[in-house]
Amino acid sequence: MSPPSPASSHFNTTRWSRVVLARDPSTEGREALQQLCATYYAPVIAFLRREGRTEELARELAHDFFATVLAGGSIAQAEQSWGRFRSYLLGAVKHFLSHRRQAALRLRRGGGETPLSIDDDEAPIAVADSSQLSPDAAFDREWALTVISRSMEALRLEQTAEGRGEEFARLQPWLSGEAAHGDQAALAASLGMNVNTLKAATHRLRQRFRTLVRSEIAATLEDESTVDEEMQVLFAALRNR
């Protein structure tokens, strides 16, 4: 499985609430789960890599993990308390790895017909640096970056559709914090605006961007009343480096 482009799955068609409600196999529930898994592929890779696995092994394990999830077995076990797809996904990948380790251990002890080497090819190959992010924190940070990326792309598509694509491209650095000390007067002049109009346009885009971030997060929640809590998780994750 490879991650889709940020715009390939619309917010309204990737709702975790639909998946939770569709515990029994349904076309709608399976499609929603598939879209969510494809969209949030990168956090699982980040988790597996942060545990010390190679990029190749992490991708192989992620592929097997998502294939297992999409086969329909694990979603039926999702508890109502797992109202956040982020929490479900992290818990599910840990359960998947634990199950793989237990199965390998049973084979080593003679519980299966296939002999295994004493070396575990799927285990982390390096000791994680304690000064770096933990695997869980790396997962959350990659999750947050995915939310931000998808929301920014959604905003770009909106602005382009409204005929303001070039203006958005010029203003985007101010939204992402990349041009905090840029020359606003020069930019305003190049866009045929005065500085106050430029500031107003930037403020409008920031407000719309925040709304899109909230919408993206809401799509991964069973109960949208928890959006503010999940926003705080996102902000905290982005502060981690």
Side-chain angles (χ1 to χ4, degrees), residues 136-158:
D136 284 25
F139 176 94
D140 280 347
R141 178 168 171 77
E142 193 62 42
W143 174 279
L145 290 172
T146 300
V147 169
I148 293 298
S149 176
R150 283 176 58 81
S151 303
M152 187 66 77
E153 176 64 5
L155 181 58
R156 185 189 69 79
L157 291 174
E158 281 188 359

Side-chain angles (χ1 to χ4, degrees), residues 16 27 35 40 52-54 61 82 84 90-91 95 101 108 121 128 131 137 146 153 162 187 192 208 225 231 238:
W16 175 237
T27 300
Q35 289 170 343
Y40 291 101
R53 296 176 179 85
T54 64
L61 284 173
W82 292 7
R84 296 166 171 82
L90 180 57
H95 177 78
R101 284 191 292 268
R108 289 197 186 97
D121 291 337
S131 67
T146 300
E153 176 64 5
E162 295 173 7
L187 176 60
R208 180 56 183 160
S225 68
M231 287 281 285
L238 290 174

Side-chain angles (χ1 to χ4, degrees), residues 16-26 28-30 33 71-83 88 222:
W16 175 237
S17 57
R18 292 185 182 181
V19 180
V20 173
L21 290 173
R23 296 295 180 90
D24 296 326
S26 72
E28 183 182 30
R30 285 182 59 80
L33 180 61
S74 59
I75 189 60
Q77 301 172 3
E79 298 293 337
Q80 286 293 334
S81 59
W82 292 7
Y88 165 76
E222 180 184 5

